[in-house]
Amino acid sequence: MLKSLDEQARAIMRGNDQGTYTMPTEGLYPYQWNWDSAFAAFGFATFDLARAWVEIETLLTGQWENGMVPHIIFHEASDGYFPGPSEWGANQTPQTSGISQPPVAATFTRAIFEKNPEAGRSHVEGLFPKLLAWHRWFIDNRNENGMIVVNHPWESGRDNAPDWDEAMENVDTSNVGEYIRNDTSHVDPHMRPNQLDYDRFMAIVYAGRGCGWDEAEMAKNGPFRVADPGMTFILLRANRDLLALAEQLGEPTDEIKGWISLLESGVQQLWNPAIRAYDALNIRTGNFAGSMSSSSFLCWFAGIEDSSALTEFDRIAAVSKYSFPSHDPESDRFEPLRYWRGPAWGIINTLIGIGLAEMGHHKQAEALRDDTASLITQSGFAEYFNPVDGSPAGGKDFTWTAAIWLAWASPSLHTKEN
Ligand code: 9WN
């Protein structure tokens, strides 16, 4: 008998499960990635609450002394991924990369806790100070007047988005020697960042390694520093969830409330009237990217209402067969298969959809969920999808696509026939 999609999703998560953390997909990404793991925990919580807690707890074992939670933790040696631990030179145990990723962990910690507060309390007590320290690290090191900056496109989780084009042009690649990318041997190169992007990605890694990942030095002289609407909205939302957890635990709340006010006003500086969207801003030049990306529509997830954003959302949804493209399909920079320059990603749909529903935009939220379910039903649990024809792209049997199916997109969540 054919397995149901819910069963397939659980099997994918079990298959990628390494015991205490889950690989995004075998081959292409053989380690623990930061926001992937938080989504994995959200998925595990639909069928194995204990395993969900382990996923987030393992992620926090990679936390640095300064509070940063790295974007990759290299628990086990593998030569299948580039750049590995020696390129990063981060000098940590366990070995890690030197940058962070969007902090969705507090949001999913709260969601998992609320499924069973009694069983979750001791886990949250252990996790809370670590999440607090991580958020404080963002505020201390990545806050430019209430806008959250990324020091590397990989940190945003949206690696080759047009959001970074202008800032990437200024990255000098003369320190980058020969290297072999592994990604293009796993996946069609047309679905991946191009070679010049990779040279620049590596130039920024070597600059970070060169200064020992010194935050003050990178803030002042690092080759790349761009305020990211995605990161700012996600941290704002994560602070609201951290505040709810603090209240549950009877922990002090003033510091977190201060971060919320700071980001609520800070993110308004990212509104670019020229494109009627929240936009990335290059701190080095003061220029907007002029890029309407899917992260512009995380405003609702952050609890921010915006009627112009809703108009633009409706326009993009109307011209896209499958929502939601990672870049405006009416822009000349849109590429339907090239990674973060066009494809639809289930995890971003989930975050946008949760926000839309919370802010009362149920019609848009349901349409987004239906499109996500159609993409997965037709094309499987791919890393991302072509929004024009729905075809699968990137890695296969992908953890976060399986996770969001189970926790958000599956029709069985509404019909109760699990
Ligand atoms: C670099 C694991 C990660 C995701 C990112 C996605 C991609 C890595 C890569 O894969 O990035 O971190 O090598 O392409 O862009 O969002 O966390 O799934």
Side-chain angles (χ1 to χ4, degrees):
M1 213 178 83
L2 276 181
K3 276 196 194 157
S4 74
L5 283 166
D6 286 11
E7 284 170 317
Q8 287 178 42
R10 288 189 283 264
I12 286 171
M13 294 196 63
R14 291 286 191 214
N16 291 335
D17 185 356
Q18 301 299 288
T20 55
Y21 68 93
T22 314
M23 300 181 290
T25 187
E26 204 182 341
L28 183 61
Y29 305 126
Y31 304 111
Q32 182 173 30
W33 259 260
N34 186 324
W35 69 332
D36 297 66
S37 261
F39 280 102
F42 188 43
F44 275 127
T46 63
F47 66 102
D48 186 345
L49 214 48
R51 182 64 188 76
W53 286 119
V54 170
E55 188 75 27
I56 298 188
E57 284 160 355
T58 307
L59 173 64
L60 272 301
T61 65
Q63 183 163 38
W64 288 18
E65 231 171 81
N66 67 1
M68 197 267 275
V69 181
H71 99 296
I72 308 176
I73 309 177
F74 302 104
H75 294 286
E76 307 256 336
S78 163
D79 53 12
Y81 183 80
F82 181 88
S86 55
E87 275 74 31
W88 288 98
N91 232 342
Q92 299 283 320
T93 311
Q95 291 185 308
T96 71
S97 67
I99 55 170
S100 198
Q101 244 187 349
V104 289
T107 296
F108 294 130
T109 296
R110 179 184 178 191
I112 297 164
F113 171 70
E114 286 176 354
K115 284 189 157 242
N116 184 342
E118 211 185 311
R121 190 167 175 101
S122 62
H123 294 286
V124 172
E125 281 168 357
L127 288 168
F128 179 81
K130 298 176 183 173
L131 293 169
L132 184 74
W134 184 21
H135 291 199
R136 189 181 290 130
W137 171 84
F138 272 111
I139 301 294
D140 289 349
N141 298 290
R142 302 309 183 81
N143 152 29
E144 296 274 353
N145 204 17
M147 300 175 283
I148 300 298
V149 298
V150 290
N151 279 357
H152 192 301
W154 280 336
E155 196 155 54
S156 71
R158 302 181 296 113
D159 310 356
N160 66 340
D163 301 35
W164 324 125
D165 286 0
E166 189 237 11
M168 285 285 264
E169 270 172 31
N170 297 323
V171 175
D172 171 14
T173 57
S174 56
N175 65 340
V176 179
E178 292 290 305
Y179 62 95
I180 298 176
R181 291 171 67 168
N182 289 329
D183 60 314
T184 41
S185 62
H186 294 290
V187 167
D188 177 349
H190 294 103
M191 299 175 176
R192 294 288 305 175
N194 63 36
Q195 192 54 42
L196 183 56
D197 289 329
Y198 251 76
D199 289 349
R200 290 168 170 161
F201 292 157
M202 290 316 301
I204 308 172
V205 169
Y206 294 142
R209 184 177 73 181
C211 72
W213 300 103
D214 181 304
E215 284 293 333
E217 170 60 21
M218 289 187 292
K220 214 162 142 221
N221 298 317
F224 184 94
R225 197 156 170 96
V226 181
D228 175 8
M231 206 58 139
T232 309
F233 285 136
I234 287 172
L235 183 64
L236 173 51
R237 168 53 185 259
N239 281 326
R240 296 190 199 283
D241 293 312
L242 196 65
L243 177 64
L245 293 173
E247 282 163 353
Q248 286 284 333
L249 298 181
E251 293 283 342
T253 54
D254 284 357
E255 185 181 20
I256 306 173
K257 285 181 181 157
W259 297 341
I260 292 172
S261 317
L262 174 75
L263 299 181
E264 272 175 347
S265 63
V267 77
Q268 291 312 326
Q269 299 159 91
L270 294 179
W271 179 259
N272 180 355
I275 60 165
R276 293 159 54 85
Y278 292 97
D279 196 3
L281 181 78
N282 185 352
I283 298 296
R284 299 283 181 246
T285 61
N287 293 335
F288 273 122
S291 166
M292 189 179 292
S293 68
S294 49
S295 72
S296 314
F297 302 98
L298 291 171
C299 50
W300 302 291
F301 183 66
I304 292 180
E305 190 46 277
D306 195 299
S307 58
S308 306
L310 197 63
T311 307
E312 294 303 316
F313 179 93
D314 288 341
R315 171 183 64 78
I316 292 178
V319 298
S320 307
K321 182 143 193 251
Y322 298 94
S323 282
F324 198 81
S326 44
H327 189 64
D328 184 350
E330 296 191 311
S331 145
D332 54 12
R333 289 190 276 182
F334 172 75
E335 294 179 72
L337 274 179
R338 202 178 284 281
Y339 217 34
W340 291 96
R341 303 183 76 86
W345 294 71
I347 53 144
I348 300 290
N349 285 6
T350 304
L351 302 182
I352 296 176
I354 289 173
L356 282 167
E358 286 174 351
M359 300 297 272
H361 304 303
H362 295 289
K363 190 175 66 126
Q364 284 88 349
E366 283 314 306
L368 196 52
R369 189 203 296 270
D370 287 349
D371 274 12
T372 312
S374 304
L375 285 167
I376 294 172
T377 306
Q378 285 167 43
S379 297
F381 296 92
E383 185 178 3
Y384 45 95
F385 302 89
N386 180 334
V388 177
D389 64 11
S391 56
K396 291 189 180 62
D397 294 341
F398 218 85
T399 294
W400 67 17
T401 310
I404 63 95
W405 171 268
L406 291 168
W408 179 73
S410 170
S412 69
L413 291 165
H414 316 292
T415 56
K416 298 276 170 235
E417 42 167 62
N418 231 336

